[in-house]
Amino acid sequence: MAMQTSIISIQSQVVHGHVGNSAAVLPIQARGLNVAAVPTTLLSNHPGYETMRGRVLEPELVGDLLRGVEERGLVETSRYIVSGYLGSRANGEVVAAFVERARQINPDITYICDPVMGDSNLGVFVADQVIECLLDHLIPLADLLTPNQFELGLMTQGQPEAWPELKTAAAKIQAIRSARLVVTGCHLTDTPDGSLENIVFEDDAPMRLTSPRLPIVPVGTGDLFTGLLTANLAQGRNLVGAARNAAAVVLNILGRTIAAGEHEMQLGSVIDALVENIE
C-alpha cells in the first residue's frame, strides 16, 4: 500500500537556494514522510539577489491546486497543514478558506502557520495587505504559530527585546485561539552571549531552548526549522522535543554550509544531519 500523505505544505518555491517549500520538503521526506507541496510562488531565487525571475502565483491557480489536493483525498490522510510565504493577500485568503474546508473534512488536522513577514536583518519584506491578511484570517485559525522574534513584534505592534516583554507578546497571541507558539531566532537582553533561543510557549510553562549563534544568516532557516518541527511532531515527538531536534539539525546544516564556504544552505547534507541528530 502506498504511504499516505502526512503534511500539506503551502509555501514559496524557488529554483536556486532554499526557502519555503524548497527548504522544507526535502527534510520532511528525509524523515520518511510524504508531503504535498503547494507553491505560492515560482521564482528563480529569493529576493536577496540583484535579480529575480518568475512571479507570485495567481490566487486562482493556488486555489485550483488546493482543490486538487482535496480531490485526491489528501486532506483525509494528512495530519498537518503548514503555510509560509503567501506572496499576496489574495493567496492568504485562499489558504484560509482551504484550512476551514479541511477542518470540515478532517477535524483532527492541525494547522501550523509560519507568519512570514520579515526579520531583524531585512525588516518587513511583505506588503501591508499580506500582514493584514495574516492578522485577520490566518493567525486566528492557527493551532501552532512559528514566528521569529521580529514577526512576533509585528503581530503585537511592538518589538519585544526583554524576556518579560516577549512573554507578554506571546500571551496576547495565545489569547486569540489558545494556540501554541514557537518563537524562533530570539536574542533577548538576557540571552547568553554567542547564543540564540527558540522559545516554546505551551500551557503555562514556556521553555527557552538555547543554541550557538553561528556567523552566518542564510535565507530560509525559519522555513527549514518549521518543516523539521512539523515532521518531528508527525512522528510523535512533543513540541519541546520537536523544537529542540529541529534546532539541532538546522545548526548542523549551517555548520556544514560554513565549512563548504557557501552562503546558501547546503541541504544536500540533510540526511547526514538528520542521522547525527537522531535522538
Side-chain angles (χ1 to χ4, degrees):
M1 182 179 295
M3 186 167 57
Q4 293 180 334
T5 295
S6 298
I7 297 165
I8 300 166
S9 182
I10 312 165
Q11 305 191 58
S12 58
Q13 181 177 328
V14 296
V15 175
H16 172 71
H18 299 289
V19 298
N21 275 335
S22 299
V25 170
L26 176 60
I28 292 172
Q29 292 171 328
R31 286 288 194 205
L33 299 169
N34 275 349
V35 54
V38 179
T40 57
T41 74
L42 285 175
L43 299 169
S44 58
N45 47 264
H46 61 72
Y49 290 88
E50 61 274 11
T51 62
M52 184 174 68
R53 306 293 178 176
R55 68 180 191 273
V56 173
L57 297 183
E58 300 80 5
E60 294 81 7
L61 175 55
V62 176
D64 206 32
L65 294 172
L66 290 171
R67 285 292 185 183
V69 165
E70 294 175 59
E71 290 168 357
R72 299 285 71 74
L74 303 185
V75 172
E76 289 90 336
T77 66
S78 293
R79 296 175 57 195
Y80 295 90
I81 298 170
V82 180
S83 71
Y85 185 81
L86 302 170
S88 69
R89 179 187 178 96
N91 280 346
E93 291 171 346
V94 165
V95 173
F98 171 73
V99 172
E100 291 176 333
R101 294 196 307 272
R103 283 196 172 132
Q104 293 294 317
I105 297 168
N106 179 3
D108 294 328
I109 205 161
T110 296
Y111 172 43
I112 300 176
C113 176
D114 185 1
V116 178
M117 296 181 278
D119 59 42
S120 57
N121 295 309
L122 300 175
V124 177
F125 50 65
V126 299
D128 290 345
Q129 294 89 339
V130 173
I131 296 176
E132 292 169 1
C133 182
L134 282 162
L135 294 174
D136 293 344
H137 299 294
L138 292 171
I139 290 169
L141 284 173
D143 299 300
L144 173 62
L145 290 152
T146 60
N148 59 39
Q149 181 180 351
F150 180 84
E151 289 163 342
L152 180 62
L154 290 177
M155 290 159 62
T156 56
Q157 298 182 326
Q159 280 305 321
E161 297 181 355
W163 173 235
E165 296 170 352
L166 193 85
K167 284 197 296 183
T168 299
K172 289 180 181 178
I173 298 303
Q174 287 183 296
I176 296 174
R177 186 183 155 77
S178 300
R180 299 180 294 170
L181 281 84
V182 180
V183 187
T184 63
C186 297
H187 189 266
L188 304 172
T189 54
D190 63 340
T191 300
D193 290 342
S195 299
L196 289 174
E197 297 182 82
N198 297 308
I199 305 176
V200 179
F201 291 89
E202 184 177 31
D203 301 323
D204 296 321
M207 180 68 70
R208 301 175 70 173
L209 306 176
T210 304
S211 297
R213 185 174 191 171
L214 299 182
I216 183 173
V217 190
V219 176
T221 53
D223 306 324
L224 173 60
F225 176 90
T226 298
L228 288 164
L229 178 78
T230 307
N232 287 340
L233 291 172
Q235 293 188 318
R237 296 177 191 252
N238 63 32
L239 185 57
V240 170
R244 181 181 283 116
N245 177 266
V249 175
V250 171
L251 185 69
N252 189 312
I253 290 172
L254 293 184
R256 293 170 184 271
T257 301
I258 292 171
E262 298 288 345
H263 65 278
E264 293 284 0
M265 290 189 295
Q266 298 299 289
L267 287 193
S269 62
V270 68
I271 294 176
D272 290 337
L274 289 169
V275 169
E276 291 179 8
N277 294 276
I278 200 168
E279 71 283 347

